[in-house]
Amino acid sequence: MPLVQEVPAQVRSLERFVPLLGQTAVDEARALAQGLHERLAGGVIWNVNSTAVGGGVAEMLHSLLGYARGAGLDVRWLTIGGAPEFFRITKRLHHALHGEHGDGSALDEAAHHVYAKTLSRNAVELRELVRPGDVVLLHDPQPAGLAPMLLAAGARVLWRCHIGADETNEEVELGWRFLARYLDGVGCMIFSRQRYVPARYRDGRASIVQPSIDAFSAKNIELDEHTVRSILVHVGILEGPPPPSPRYAFVRSDGTPGRVERSADILRLGRASAWETPLVVQVSRWDPLKDMLGVLRGFSILVQNHAAPTVDLVLAGPNVRAVADDPEGPAVFEAVYRAFLEQPPAIRTHVHLAMLPTADVEENAVIVNALQRHATIVAQKSLHEGFGLTVTEAMWKARPVIASAVGGIQDQIEDGVSGVLLRDPTDLDTFAGELHRVLADRALAERLGAAARARVRERFLGIRHLVQYGAIIERLLVA
Ligand code: UDP
């Protein structure tokens, strides 16, 4: 079986953005695509990463590729393959660039040997597809080592790094040292934040492009109140008989109809939440850095110390019994559950620990969509964050978001204007106080939500992302 696989892409029309962004913005994007098309003269723009499913990068690629193809560009997507040992090393590298130890293994010559050898085998297959003059975007550390081989084959190579650390440390240095021998010859790189650019590449070769969401995917598509309620009753988060004529149907990205069939696994003391009860929601993977525990404890302070009106908390994430690729998930969920059991009953009756079904990615997405839309406040109290797509998603739904001032969240929320930033994510009293302040002031919540949506419209929709990529590729082609 070949290592390199092509991922099929749907063609999506840019026309869908007209009601959101206006005709001019869409025409400008098309004109840029047309110019690029001519300059490419039949050449292809290849994206190369290591997975077609799971994670924000794959989600963004599906949508960006679709719109780029809709604009007439020949953009394609390939995934590389390798043995588990290769992916163990690239995961180690991934952790290092985040400033963490991961499995603590050495990134030494033996690791280089496995990494480079695997990528050489992938390169043999890639050279059958990529022609001189084609553009190749390599995403993240996994395919980074292909760069020298692709450059030698006459391709124009860009490296897109989706991760990074706010502060550098020994691990970060180690990660960049490992990659340097493959990346030093690449003249064009894209990072999500200025701070993520390592010192060695602060020489004009780096551009900054922030991630984006697809306003028309199951995760973000507009849902009316009836649909939101139907979905949340159906999965078990809200109480009540399902409203008559259930409309928890949605349109899949390939145009076929989908339905929410599965339920969530929910741990709680009493009843499901009532439709009228204000809801604080955090949706995250069960990862220690998302600090679900801290959200629970902060919520407990809110209920005990502030004369809050009745309010519920939903902590939602993927079902840890089903997700095989997140080894920390079960332990984190267990810790949150233990902390839940330690709370007095008066708190526990307001807390809902929801494990969402994951078997069908778009079903999962539309459930997250409904939950974010129903939330009175969305929290993202992460201790560390690359960008934080959950924040963008909630802002797009005009929710007031209370989130930590870490990583890319700081680029999204302007404190007090389009959300609330927590300077110290470990300060639970302040978190509880901010929850109380926003819950108690409906006008403030609405103002924050409206500004949040406007900010996403301006900065974090896929079309902006495409235009930035287009301009960078154009510069690469004229260079
Ligand atoms: N997500 C999801 N279902 C879940 C939990 C998370 O679809 O049960 C999504 C979430 O909506 C977001 C992505 O996973 O689109 C997480 O991206 P983010 O940048 O917030 O954090 P990461 O998990 O990449 O650290």
Side-chain angles (χ1 to χ4, degrees), residues 219 283-285 290 317-318 356 364 368 385 388-390 393:
K219 179 74 60 68
V283 180
S284 289
R285 289 180 296 109
K290 305 292 180 182
L356 307 181
N364 177 278
V368 170
E385 197 62 74
L389 280 174
T390 49
E393 291 158 7

Side-chain angles (χ1 to χ4, degrees), residues 159-161 176 189-193 196-198 206-209:
W159 186 57
R160 195 341 171 181
C161 180
W176 288 119
M189 299 181 176
I190 303 177
F191 294 83
S192 297
R193 308 195 74 208
Y196 294 172
V197 184
S207 304
I208 307 301
V209 177

